[in-house]
Amino acid sequence: MSLVLFVPDDAAAVSVGADRVAAALAVAAEERGLDLRLVRNGSRGMLWLEPLVEWDGPDGRMAFGPVAPDEAGSLLDAISSGTGHPRALGPTEEIDYLKNQERLTFARVGVIDPLSVRDFEAHGGLEGLKTALTMTEEAICEAVLQSGLRGRGGAGFPAGIKWHTVREQAQAEKYICCNADEGDSGTFADRMLMEGDPFTLLEGMVIAGFATGARQGIVYIRSEYPHAISKMTRAIEALEEAGWLGGNIRGSGKDFRVSIRRGAGAYICGEESSMLNSIEGRRGTVRSKPPIPAIHGLFGKPTVVNNVLTLATVPVVLAKGAEFYKDFGMGRSRGTQAFQLAGNIRRGGLVEKAFGVTIRELIETFGGGTATGRPFRTAQLGGPLGAYVSEEMLDLPMDYEALAEHKAMLGHGGITVFDETVDMAEMARFAFEFCEEESCGKCTPCRIGAVRGRETVEKILRGENVARNIALIEDLCELMTDGSLCAMGGLTPMPVLSAILLFPEDFDRASALAAE
């Protein structure tokens, strides 16, 4: 009997034993004389079910999870005999968590063999690039603009405007830089995509090169992502061998090459100008703007700097058209977003949905509430520099403008959940401490403000002049917001102020101490 099983080699799955499960399945198959083909795919994004094993049976992909190595034999026996198994979950695509998503950017992640160009193409890959080969530079930029695609790194700037700007520059040498320095706690979408469908990112980068006249692309990946670096490196080799990357792509007369640059572990290099300095071999500090990178970027040349998900979304825009993509979403937030559920949550993982889904749907319907079972208290949106939201805010739609109206932000789509035991004054102290640790030190409001902020919150924690010190923090936050060179110092006040505004009782330490 011939069996095709899928076992993820995604870093999250490997961390909970996927490699050991794959090895155990191979041994168990040999003992039973089974002809087993193991495909190491990306993760489906249901992290609480990892290691998730899928059997490609006559009725489609059937899921089992989480599977332990010592269950390999019983799993093969159940599949071979057609009997049930305690880990059986039924058809993968019918699992509610997956079934109710709208996967466009992540459509192939977990489905295909990530390093098979043939498999990629069989599932719709390269259609966007083939379309781009028939279009002018201006038409490609205009399609991206009309789709409403905005930068998925956090700022939400329209990708098409940035591409138009680079295209209009007269210099012959231009660059496409992919920011894969995904450093926000609770976020993992970039890593998942690079490990599960690396060709999609490369396809998007080639299209960006065709649209702007750039012939060189660089993927800047944080050093903490060795699996992603390995997968992307092998994907580049495979796509070059297939003729879709390199010189004279498919006889078009157009060249585009991609290389990998490994980051050195600095959070600040997720900021675009720090990343450019790092690629150039300089210290990762922010640059003053203007000029913007689209005009004066890498090595002083016009440069598109886009996040992984922005570039990886371009192929579906070109393949299915701007109107198709624009039909998803709400207001000025068009298309889909990869939300990442983390922290104290029962079903953590990745959910790709159209903009407009509410925070409550993501945390309760998909996430299943807190992992501890205790009442929800807050969630931090958009990473460590994002605002906290309260229970009363859970029905807000995930939309750039709607969140901004409530002094929150979407950021990179990360949602970190906390139950009733969280101390929000401690979280405010952590926000300043994080900035103190990760600041590049170039501007005074960020470098000094973070230290003074942490010190002042610590005074509040000790019950010292609480009202006066809260007023001092509010003044300090205003200064950091207005005076910092980049989002590191400019956004650190967001979690601090939201904690003070929404959970003032946690800062009332004088009363708490007196009551003891």
Side-chain angles (χ1 to χ4, degrees):
M1 180 179 181
S2 179
L3 285 177
V4 180
L5 296 181
F6 292 77
V7 182
D9 64 357
D10 172 279
V14 169
S15 72
V16 291
D19 281 351
R20 286 183 284 119
V21 170
L25 286 167
V27 170
E30 186 173 353
E31 290 172 349
R32 287 160 175 77
L34 296 173
D35 178 18
L36 173 65
R37 183 166 78 88
L38 269 177
V39 180
R40 303 304 303 270
N41 57 332
S43 171
R44 293 279 196 160
M46 301 179 288
L47 299 183
W48 77 100
L49 292 176
E50 296 291 0
L52 181 77
V53 176
E54 291 180 81
W55 168 46
D56 191 9
D59 297 321
R61 299 267 281 265
M62 309 298 286
F64 301 83
V67 176
D70 60 7
E71 295 173 314
S74 64
L75 184 66
L76 292 180
D77 292 340
I79 292 173
S80 300
S81 62
T83 56
H85 191 276
R87 300 297 186 191
L89 302 167
T92 310
E93 300 293 343
E94 294 300 315
I95 297 174
D96 284 347
Y97 197 88
L98 268 183
K99 186 179 179 181
N100 296 320
Q101 295 191 34
E102 292 150 321
R103 290 201 166 188
L104 302 181
T105 308
F106 282 77
R108 285 179 291 269
V109 174
V111 176
I112 64 169
D113 178 343
L115 293 175
S116 167
V117 177
R118 178 180 297 178
D119 205 9
F120 177 64
E121 201 165 0
H123 287 81
L126 297 172
E127 290 301 319
L129 181 50
K130 291 173 185 173
T131 301
L133 281 168
T134 68
M135 300 168 68
T136 64
E137 293 181 358
E138 185 174 8
I140 299 172
C141 291
E142 192 60 21
V144 174
L145 179 63
Q146 291 305 317
S147 74
L149 177 63
R150 297 166 69 169
R152 296 292 189 253
F157 188 80
I161 292 178
K162 187 179 289 187
W163 289 24
H164 267 305
T165 303
V166 173
R167 182 186 64 81
E168 290 164 354
Q169 305 309 305
Q171 290 96 320
E173 192 174 356
K174 303 175 183 179
Y175 294 97
I176 307 297
C177 286
C178 173
N179 187 343
D181 195 58
E182 186 178 46
D184 283 350
S185 51
T187 60
F188 44 83
D190 292 355
R191 180 192 58 72
M192 264 188 64
L193 188 124
M194 288 188 288
E195 294 180 8
D197 189 11
F199 295 137
T200 291
L201 172 58
L202 295 173
E203 183 182 357
M205 292 183 72
V206 178
I207 293 170
F210 287 179
T212 59
R215 294 190 296 274
Q216 180 68 46
I218 297 166
V219 187
Y220 185 88
I221 309 177
R222 65 194 307 242
S223 60
E224 294 89 342
Y225 281 179
H227 294 81
I229 291 172
S230 172
K231 193 66 70 72
M232 287 298 301
T233 301
R234 286 180 287 161
I236 289 170
E237 293 170 355
L239 217 54
E240 285 178 340
E241 189 174 333
W244 289 105
L245 199 59
N248 190 25
I249 292 174
R250 289 283 167 156
S252 65
K254 297 180 179 180
D255 304 337
F256 193 81
R257 292 179 169 80
V258 175
S259 59
I260 303 293
R261 178 64 63 91
R262 181 193 298 260
Y267 177 81
I268 194 61
C269 287
E271 193 279 336
E272 62 177 5
S273 65
S274 294
M275 181 193 72
L276 296 177
N277 275 351
S278 179
I279 294 173
E280 292 179 3
R282 303 169 188 265
R283 181 181 175 187
T285 55
V286 299
R287 299 177 180 177
S288 300
K289 299 173 187 174
I292 58 175
I295 296 172
H296 188 91
L298 188 65
F299 300 114
K301 306 299 181 184
T303 303
V304 168
V305 180
N306 277 149
N307 163 266
V308 170
L309 301 187
T310 313
L311 290 162
T313 300
V314 168
V316 72
V317 171
L318 271 290
K320 298 193 174 183
E323 289 302 316
F324 167 83
Y325 189 75
K326 198 174 182 178
D327 277 348
F328 294 86
M330 62 175 285
R332 291 174 52 210
S333 301
R334 311 310 309 177
T336 60
Q337 171 71 35
F339 300 102
Q340 300 127 84
L341 309 183
N344 189 343
I345 193 160
R346 189 172 163 218
R347 295 192 291 266
L350 184 133
V351 177
E352 184 175 354
K353 285 289 287 182
F355 287 101
V357 61
T358 66
I359 306 170
R360 187 183 302 281
E361 287 177 273
L362 291 167
I363 293 176
E364 296 182 359
T365 306
F366 285 96
T370 64
T372 58
R374 290 176 176 272
F376 166 90
R377 187 163 195 226
T378 187
Q380 188 174 27
L381 309 184
L385 305 182
Y388 293 98
V389 295
S390 64
E391 169 82 27
E392 292 70 28
M393 299 168 71
L394 291 185
D395 291 316
L396 284 176
M398 293 297 273
D399 161 79
Y400 289 106
E401 282 67 39
L403 292 176
E405 286 177 13
H406 290 82
K407 298 182 178 178
M409 70 175 196
L410 192 143
H412 186 42
I415 300 176
T416 305
V417 176
F418 300 84
D419 71 15
E420 61 178 357
T421 62
V422 65
D423 182 334
M424 297 308 293
E426 283 286 357
M427 300 310 292
R429 188 196 64 78
F430 169 74
F432 280 126
E433 185 181 57
F434 181 79
C435 184
E436 178 184 350
E437 180 73 24
E438 300 294 347
S439 171
C440 75
K442 184 165 183 175
C443 69
T444 304
C446 180
R447 184 182 69 250
I448 303 299
V451 177
R452 296 294 172 258
R454 175 186 54 77
E455 293 171 347
T456 307
V457 175
E458 287 174 348
K459 289 178 181 176
I460 293 171
L461 290 169
R462 293 194 296 269
E464 297 176 15
N465 298 316
V466 172
R468 178 174 173 275
N469 280 313
I470 286 179
L472 189 60
I473 284 177
E474 290 171 342
D475 284 349
L476 177 63
C477 285
E478 183 179 354
L479 174 70
M480 291 179 70
T481 301
D482 295 342
S484 297
L485 273 177
C486 77
M488 181 79 242
L491 289 180
T492 292
M494 187 171 272
V496 175
L497 294 176
S498 62
I500 293 173
L501 176 68
L502 299 173
F503 307 99
E505 64 274 17
D506 284 23
F507 293 81
D508 192 10
R509 296 305 235 240
S511 300
L513 290 173
E516 289 179 355

